[in-house]
Amino acid sequence: MSLLEVENLRTHFISRDIDNQIRVAQALNDVSFTLEAGKVLGFVGETGAGKSLTAQSICGLLRPPARIVGGSVFFDGQDLREMPEDDLNAIRGDQIAMVVQNPRTSLDPLTRIGDQLARIHQTHSGGPISTSRERALEMMEAVGIPDPTNRAKSWPHELSGGMAQRVLIAMALMNNPKLLIADEPTTGLDVTVQAQILDLLKGLTERFGMAMIVITHDLGIVAHYSDEIAVMFAGTIVEAGPVVDVFNNPQHPYTQSLIASTPEKLQIGGSAKLGGQPPDLYNLPSGCPLRTRCSFAQEICATPPPRRQINDTHYSVCHFSGKSPANGSAS
Ligand SMILES: Nc1ncnc2c1ncn2[C@@H]1O[C@H](COP(=O)(O)OP(=O)(O)OP(=O)(O)O)[C@@H](O)[C@H]1O
Ligand SMILES: [Mg+2]
């Protein structure tokens, strides 16, 4: 049993237009993946691909008109979709914690950071506040905040961006989560601070045996910090596997285009060109969602692409995976 098992997760936005007709945006379509305890999984993909929505769907943090319409999420053997809201609340912020972008909006501006940290612990532990305060200092220390005893008295507005992000990570760690979901944890921070925060997160997963999902636009971050990668496009995972396999042998034209366009020029393998706009989720193309933007697209791409195993753990969802689209014919 894996720590997290997500199968065929489908999340739609269901609303009515001005003529009272039901409109459905198919934002997540059959997202499936597993994550083992202690491993780091990186999610990449263009804006609107559904990365944050995947995280929110797992944590049960969707707001209408978003709704999970199919699939399952098992965490540590427990079915999160079938769980009563109170039980899910108890798991969220305890066994599953999230770090989001924009630390400032996630901190309460009117509460000293030490108190915010202690409160998170106490809500879940129900123990004495003195224990929670000690734990807050311990976690501030763990995330590299200098002089925790004094810093605990700071107000959120007194913190730099990097420090605020560290506080947020400390908050996420307060209850010893088994899974940490970090959604663009370093976007907006300067490059040196980014590296510090990412090294810190990676170090913490090792130290506490925590699994982590890192959501990012930056393939370099995934290459450096993840064990596994999941490449998302139009609400679905189009290629996934161990980082080394996917980077050394990218099979999906979308993955190839992402790798080819990274500034670090991690360029290996194909070099599909990809222009154009993300597909309209209210009207997804039939078959492969990439086909209207893919330079390799052929007639067969109007039919659903198969999931092809490249090896035991690496797969790609493309008619031409494992073949050269220029020469081969799809089966
Ligand atoms: N209320 C809504 N109605 C319809 N579609 C929506 C609504 N809210 C969000 N979406 C769509 O859901 C899709 C998934 O968004 P999500 O935030 O998960 O993308 P993302 O991959 O995290 O992108 P980014 O990299 O920009 O953070 C987007 O295409 C977005 O347009
Ligand atoms: Mg996002």
Side-chain angles (χ1 to χ4, degrees):
M1 184 184 73
S2 304
L3 179 68
L4 182 65
E5 294 178 354
V6 176
E7 212 174 301
N8 296 325
L9 186 62
R10 292 163 63 220
T11 298
H12 291 174
F13 291 95
I14 303 169
S15 54
R16 285 181 186 275
D17 65 13
I18 42 170
D19 299 322
N20 214 23
Q21 297 294 310
I22 288 183
R23 299 184 75 223
V24 177
Q26 297 176 285
L28 290 189
N29 303 298
D30 291 321
V31 171
S32 301
F33 65 93
T34 56
L35 178 59
E36 305 298 327
K39 294 282 182 197
V40 180
L41 168 65
F43 267 90
V44 293
E46 66 188 6
T47 184
K51 305 179 297 294
S52 298
L53 203 58
T54 300
Q56 290 157 9
S57 301
I58 291 170
C59 296
L61 289 172
L62 296 175
R63 293 283 161 267
R67 198 197 303 164
I68 297 181
V69 295
S72 60
V73 180
F74 279 82
F75 172 75
D76 219 5
Q78 307 164 88
D79 185 344
L80 297 190
R81 278 202 65 199
E82 296 300 321
M83 193 172 273
E85 187 62 27
D86 283 353
D87 295 356
L88 188 57
N89 267 332
I91 287 185
R92 207 168 35 215
D94 186 22
Q95 298 178 49
I96 303 179
M98 247 180 123
V99 177
V100 294
Q101 202 183 326
N102 263 333
R104 295 199 182 284
T105 53
S106 311
L107 293 170
D108 172 0
L110 301 177
T111 308
R112 295 178 196 272
I113 59 166
D115 292 342
Q116 295 194 43
L117 287 163
R119 194 182 294 159
I120 286 176
H121 185 257
Q122 213 203 5
T123 309
H124 283 267
S125 76
I129 187 70
S130 55
T131 310
S132 297
R133 287 196 191 286
E134 271 165 38
R135 173 86 186 158
L137 296 179
E138 219 176 277
M139 283 301 111
M140 287 172 72
E141 176 105 55
V143 300
I145 296 174
D147 192 7
T149 313
N150 267 318
R151 274 293 182 177
K153 296 175 199 146
S154 302
W155 299 97
H157 73 264
E158 294 172 331
L159 305 173
S160 66
M163 271 306 152
Q165 192 59 298
R166 281 174 198 266
V167 171
L168 222 67
I169 295 169
M171 271 184 169
L173 297 175
M174 280 305 280
N175 297 314
N176 241 335
K178 292 180 182 158
L179 170 65
L180 182 68
I181 301 179
D183 190 352
E184 314 255 5
T186 57
T187 309
L189 300 176
D190 77 52
V191 179
T192 325
V193 182
Q194 270 194 24
Q196 286 169 0
I197 298 280
L198 288 162
D199 284 337
L200 167 69
L201 283 170
K202 177 84 177 163
L204 292 167
T205 56
E206 283 157 15
R207 180 166 157 199
F208 296 113
M210 219 172 32
M212 179 160 75
I213 293 178
V214 185
I215 297 173
T216 174
H217 281 100
D218 188 336
L219 274 190
I221 289 179
V222 174
H224 208 89
Y225 297 96
S226 305
D227 302 299
E228 312 264 332
I229 177 172
V231 181
M232 282 197 90
F233 182 82
T236 192
I237 296 176
V238 294
E239 182 160 6
V243 162
V244 185
D245 292 351
V246 174
F247 277 96
N248 284 335
N249 186 21
Q251 288 293 314
H252 200 283
Y254 182 63
T255 314
Q256 293 172 356
S257 76
L258 280 183
I259 291 176
S261 61
T262 47
E264 292 91 347
K265 290 277 175 287
L266 292 157
Q267 187 159 359
I268 325 137
S271 56
K273 287 195 192 68
L274 193 71
Q277 296 294 313
D280 177 6
L281 299 176
Y282 287 99
N283 191 16
L284 284 177
S286 61
C288 175
L290 185 68
R291 72 181 164 90
T292 53
R293 289 163 67 188
C294 179
S295 53
F296 300 135
Q298 297 182 19
E299 250 173 59
I300 192 162
C301 302
T303 63
R307 172 171 158 162
R308 285 231 165 83
Q309 293 297 139
I310 311 303
N311 60 34
D312 283 355
T313 46
H314 174 193
Y315 71 83
S316 164
V317 187
C318 169
H319 285 286
F320 301 107
S321 298
K323 303 173 178 188
S324 162
N327 310 319
S329 59
S331 53

